């Protein structure tokens, strides 16, 4: 109790109290005493006020110019964006036309079953049939940053986000389990498709996708589902769900429809010879 009483009675250190008393006795209030010092202080205050006033006036004069430049920049951005959209639409139309011609060329072989099979396996034609629907999504509380996370490799930090390498294993596992055709978020995959990352985004053939990732695989639905879930890639996906909260849902579907690949490159071709000609 004596210590608490001493602290309350002497809340200000004795040295500070003594210095304050000496300053008060000397009549030092912190303001200049001489006329020269007072004039210097007044000149400093006037100079500071002048600088602030000039700066405010310049900002006020320049404001309309800055606003005009901003509007011009916005208009330019809008024009360039519109032009880019038109070019992108034109590219899509040309790509669709090329793809249609390529698919027609693959089908134009007398209607043989082999040509139809080639079109399906190459992704040149749309397909439909029974299969598996697999939905993969980030964890509910997914975020960046994850020091010490065992999945943190090659600069990626992960606390529940689906990565490109995860989708690669999922797709490869479905192919290995007997899938005849696969798509992700409506993007048809072929033997030449690439699944890559750009920052936190997943790219399929250079097209960005956003979660949830809906993977459709055409094949023998029940068998495909069982084989995939029992495969190493299916167990890997289950481990992601158990350890990182990544959400997955798989179901067997009676009829799935997969679009044709946006562009199929014909690398090898031979001229077709008509029967009965020499």
């Amino acid at each position: 109790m004596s210590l608490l009483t001493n602290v309350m009675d002497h809340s200000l250190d004795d040295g500070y109290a003594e210095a304050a008393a000496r300053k008060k006795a000397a009549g030092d209030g912190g303001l200049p005493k001489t006329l020269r010092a007072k004039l210097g202080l007044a000149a400093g205050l006037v100079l500071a006020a002048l600088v602030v006033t000039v700066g405010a006036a310049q900002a006020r004069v320049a404001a309309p110019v800055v606003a005009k430049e901003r509007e011009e920049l916005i208009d330019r951005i809008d024009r360039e964006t519109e032009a880019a959209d038109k070019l992108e639409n034109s590219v899509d139309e040309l790509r669709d036309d090329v793809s249609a011609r390529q698919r027609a060329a693959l089908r134009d072989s007398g209607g043989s079953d082999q040509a139809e099979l080639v079109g399906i396996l190459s992704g040149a034609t749309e397909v439909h049939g029974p299969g598996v629907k697999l939905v993969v999504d980030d964890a509910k509380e997914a975020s960046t940053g994850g020091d010490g996370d065992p999945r943190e490799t090659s600069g990626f930090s992960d606390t529940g986000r689906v990565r490109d390498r995860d989708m690669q294993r999922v797709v490869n596992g479905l192919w290995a389990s007997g899938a005849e055709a696969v798509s992700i978020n409506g993007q048809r995959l072929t033997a030449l498709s690439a699944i890559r990352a750009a920052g936190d985004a997943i790219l399929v053939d250079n097209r960005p996708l956003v979660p949830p990732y809906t993977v459709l695989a055409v094949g023998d639905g029940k068998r495909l589902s069982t084989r995939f879930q029992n495969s190493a890639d299916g167990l890997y996906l289950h481990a992601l769900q158990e350890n990182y909260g990544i959400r997955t849902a798989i179901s067997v579907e009676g009829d799935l429809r997969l679009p044709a690949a946006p562009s199929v490159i014909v690398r090898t071709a031979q001229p077709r010879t008509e029967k009965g000609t020499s």
Side-chain angles (χ1 to χ4, degrees):
M1 292 300 295
S2 60
L3 178 60
L4 293 176
T5 303
N6 183 48
V7 171
M8 294 178 64
D9 293 341
H10 302 83
S11 59
L12 185 63
D13 186 78
D14 293 339
Y16 287 110
E18 182 179 355
R22 287 200 307 268
K23 190 173 182 180
K24 184 177 180 180
D28 186 5
L31 296 175
K33 298 299 183 181
T34 63
L35 179 60
R36 182 177 180 180
K38 291 180 180 180
L39 291 176
L41 178 60
L45 294 175
V46 171
L47 180 61
L50 180 61
V51 171
V52 172
T53 302
V54 172
Q58 290 180 346
R60 185 175 181 180
V61 172
V65 178
V66 174
K68 183 179 180 180
E69 292 178 352
R70 182 175 180 274
E71 291 178 359
E72 292 177 352
L73 180 60
I74 292 176
D75 292 339
R76 182 180 177 184
I77 292 174
D78 291 339
R79 290 194 303 269
E80 296 298 334
T81 301
E82 184 178 357
D85 291 340
K86 290 182 179 179
L87 290 175
E88 185 175 358
N89 292 334
S90 177
V91 169
D92 290 339
E93 291 176 358
L94 293 174
R95 183 184 289 116
D96 292 339
D97 182 58
V98 171
S99 299
R101 293 174 182 271
Q102 290 176 346
R103 289 192 294 268
L106 289 173
R107 290 194 302 265
D108 188 17
S109 59
S112 65
D113 295 337
Q114 183 178 2
E116 183 178 356
L117 178 60
V118 170
I120 294 175
L121 297 180
S122 65
T125 59
E126 61 181 19
V127 298
H128 73 92
V132 167
K133 177 181 179 181
L134 175 61
V135 180
V136 184
D137 198 359
D138 296 337
K140 291 183 178 180
E141 298 180 354
S143 62
T144 56
D147 297 336
D149 195 302
R151 295 182 71 215
E152 183 178 355
T153 57
S154 303
F156 285 111
S157 298
D158 193 324
T159 56
R161 297 180 65 90
V162 179
R163 298 299 184 186
D164 59 325
R165 57 181 178 269
D166 304 330
M167 296 308 301
Q168 290 171 3
R169 296 203 58 168
V170 167
V171 171
N172 289 334
L174 288 171
W175 285 123
S177 299
E180 300 174 5
V182 179
S183 69
I184 304 178
N185 286 15
Q187 182 76 13
R188 179 77 173 273
L189 302 181
T190 69
L192 302 178
S193 295
I195 301 177
R196 295 289 183 265
D200 288 333
I202 294 179
L203 305 180
V204 175
D205 290 336
N206 293 324
R207 294 198 174 191
L209 304 181
V210 295
Y213 306 102
T214 301
V215 184
L216 302 181
V218 172
D220 187 341
K222 293 183 179 179
R223 183 182 179 188
L224 179 58
S225 175
T226 301
R227 291 186 62 180
F228 173 74
Q229 293 185 71
N230 293 333
S231 67
D233 298 312
L235 295 176
Y236 170 82
L237 186 61
H238 181 71
L240 296 183
Q241 182 179 6
E242 292 292 327
N243 297 326
Y244 301 99
I246 288 178
R247 294 168 286 177
T248 64
I250 187 170
S251 60
V252 177
E253 302 292 333
D255 187 25
L256 297 174
R257 293 188 175 272
L258 277 63
S263 179
V264 178
I265 300 175
V266 178
R267 299 181 181 275
T268 303
Q270 295 179 353
R272 177 183 167 188
T273 58
E274 297 292 341
K275 293 182 180 180
T277 60
S278 57

